[in-house]
Amino acid sequence: MEWTPDARELADLELLCSGGFAPLTGFMGAADVGSVEETGRLVDGTPWPDAITLELPDDHPVVSGQELILRDPEGAAVATLLVTERAHGLVAGTVTALGASEHGPFARLRHTPAQIREQATGALLAVTMRGPLDDLDEIIATARELDATILLLPLAYGEGGPAVVRAALKARDRLPDGTLLAAVPLAPREREIDLELREHIATAYGAEEHLAGPEPVTLPGPPHRRGVVVFFTGLSGSGKSTVARGLRDALLEDGTRPLTYLDGDEVRRILSAGLTFSKQDRDLNIRRIGFVAAEVARHGGLAVCAPIAPYAATREEVRHMVESVGADFLLVHISTPLEECERRDRKGLYAKARAGVIPEFTGISDPYEEPDDADLTIDTTGIPVTRAVDSVLGLLRQGGWLR
């Protein structure tokens, strides 16, 4: 049995394996989760500020008593989990590392608490960082007062992680000789919980005192400089590809933003060649589109996607992919009724679906889950393509994504 946790769970997994979350040795079960949420303590009374959990889909076959291999996004096995409990979508159990973590940036700087304690020659003053340090003089004075070695713990998680590590490396050059540094993949939480977890991590590294660096000031760039994904969804024959192509052409004429166009049929022929039209494969196709679109948006580009994307949960996954890289996601629902889509059916797909020739056809033998979170809804019945395209352009201009 195996599973690939999401980015936040992988970060927590690394801290569980390294001892950074001591005394925790694995993902929490229902009792500990409930106790932490109600009292701020584990069932055994140990203070702990946040539930450290791992989610699994209901259809995953692992059961209590089995071993689950946990893999990183590149497919490398990073740990095993001996399952002790499955309940309410969570899986609990003790984790065991399978070697040092190599996933993510700055792997060489992610020293474990044990490695740092080996390097330390005396007391440690830990400084946790989510941004640049404003006052190095205070840190130096505190270290002298305690006769302690300074340990910088940049909390390197997500898109902002590399910048935090660079700030720590820069600060180390200005701090006393012997200053230690260990990058820590702590996913951010609500501020008070975040600070408590930092305290636990500092203690795990052997620090006698802990200073929390200032919070980073995040100023998102103006919308016309941020990445954005315009994601069309609708039935076959609804006009989504036609409107998406019209939007592509209008944006190319405008020429103010780098543009990538991902049409559903074209992606299937190239990126998703070999996939069937089963629900599992359709979801995988949408995830692949979402991944490519998020990578485009990560670097400030504008991606236009036009798959059918019939399932709400998969559309939400794509939204999360895009927003997790600091980009914006706009969902455009082409809501043309089924009857009109069938009337336009130039390929005869609906007729074949109704005859049973094409199984699992969206709108006929397989559901289309209409979005309730669309940023724009367009019924293309009886309107020119240019009017529909202008509606999407209007949304982009109104939000500032186009000047």
Side-chain angles (χ1 to χ4, degrees), residues 11-12 14-16 18-23 48-49 52 111-114 116-117 124 126-130 151-156 182-187 189 193-210:
D12 289 346
E14 185 170 335
L15 287 166
L16 289 170
S18 72
F21 271 167
W48 193 265
I52 308 300
H111 304 301
T112 68
I116 289 296
R117 287 194 295 268
L124 283 176
V127 183
T128 54
M129 305 169 52
R130 285 209 184 276
L151 168 62
L152 298 179
L153 296 174
L155 306 177
V184 177
L186 179 66
R189 270 84 168 177
I193 291 175
D194 190 72
L195 291 174
E196 287 187 58
L197 281 175
R198 295 196 207 185
E199 188 75 32
H200 280 278
I201 290 171
T203 300
Y205 272 88
E208 296 186 4
E209 292 288 336
H210 166 232

Side-chain angles (χ1 to χ4, degrees), residues 25-47:
T25 58
F27 290 103
M28 293 179 182
D32 274 328
V33 170
S35 181
V36 165
E37 291 176 347
E38 291 182 15
T39 69
R41 293 177 178 272
L42 301 173
V43 170
D44 66 7
T46 302

Side-chain angles (χ1 to χ4, degrees), residues 117-155:
R117 287 194 295 268
E118 287 180 3
Q119 297 179 50
T121 57
L124 283 176
L125 168 65
V127 183
T128 54
M129 305 169 52
R130 285 209 184 276
L133 297 174
D134 293 338
D135 191 352
L136 297 183
D137 291 338
E138 178 187 356
I139 296 171
I140 294 170
T142 304
R144 286 175 177 166
E145 181 181 338
L146 297 172
D147 191 23
T149 298
I150 299 168
L151 168 62
L152 298 179
L153 296 174
L155 306 177

Side-chain angles (χ1 to χ4, degrees), residues 358-369:
I358 303 178
E360 297 179 304
F361 190 82
T362 301
I364 303 298
S365 51
D366 205 68
Y368 176 80
E369 299 173 358

Side-chain angles (χ1 to χ4, degrees), residues 1-266:
M1 301 289 181
E2 60 183 40
W3 181 248
T4 299
D6 66 23
R8 186 186 190 91
E9 293 165 340
L10 279 171
D12 289 346
L13 173 63
E14 185 170 335
L15 287 166
L16 289 170
C17 289
S18 72
F21 271 167
L24 294 185
T25 58
F27 290 103
M28 293 179 182
D32 274 328
V33 170
S35 181
V36 165
E37 291 176 347
E38 291 182 15
T39 69
R41 293 177 178 272
L42 301 173
V43 170
D44 66 7
T46 302
W48 193 265
D50 196 30
I52 308 300
T53 59
L54 176 65
E55 292 189 22
L56 275 185
D58 292 338
D59 59 358
H60 194 285
V62 73
V63 297
S64 182
Q66 291 183 324
E67 188 174 81
L68 184 66
I69 297 174
L70 301 177
R71 298 185 180 276
D72 67 20
E74 297 172 357
V78 294
T80 59
L81 169 69
L82 181 58
V83 179
T84 57
E85 179 185 332
R86 279 205 70 174
H88 310 298
L90 302 180
V91 59
T94 301
V95 297
T96 303
L98 298 174
S101 176
E102 298 180 358
H103 172 65
F106 301 108
R108 67 181 182 84
L109 297 177
R110 299 210 298 273
H111 304 301
T112 68
Q115 290 169 331
I116 289 296
R117 287 194 295 268
E118 287 180 3
Q119 297 179 50
T121 57
L124 283 176
L125 168 65
V127 183
T128 54
M129 305 169 52
R130 285 209 184 276
L133 297 174
D134 293 338
D135 191 352
L136 297 183
D137 291 338
E138 178 187 356
I139 296 171
I140 294 170
T142 304
R144 286 175 177 166
E145 181 181 338
L146 297 172
D147 191 23
T149 298
I150 299 168
L151 168 62
L152 298 179
L153 296 174
L155 306 177
Y157 177 84
E159 290 297 297
V164 180
V165 175
R166 287 194 296 269
L169 291 169
K170 184 176 180 180
R172 185 178 64 177
D173 292 341
R174 298 164 55 200
L175 289 168
D177 290 344
T179 294
L180 302 174
L181 186 152
V184 177
L186 179 66
R189 270 84 168 177
E190 183 272 324
R191 179 168 170 74
E192 291 305 316
I193 291 175
D194 190 72
L195 291 174
E196 287 187 58
L197 281 175
R198 295 196 207 185
E199 188 75 32
H200 280 278
I201 290 171
T203 300
Y205 272 88
E208 296 186 4
E209 292 288 336
H210 166 232
L211 296 176
E215 294 299 299
V217 178
T218 302
L219 297 174
H224 69 272
R225 292 187 178 177
R226 290 205 301 271
V228 59
V229 173
V230 182
F231 193 92
F232 288 85
T233 177
L235 293 169
S236 177
S238 63
K240 65 186 178 305
S241 293
T242 303
V243 177
R245 285 195 297 268
L247 176 65
R248 174 200 62 189
D249 293 346
L251 292 171
L252 288 173
E253 291 175 20
D254 178 74
T256 59
R257 298 209 54 152
L259 174 68
T260 298
Y261 176 65
L262 299 167
D263 178 71
D265 291 338
E266 191 171 346

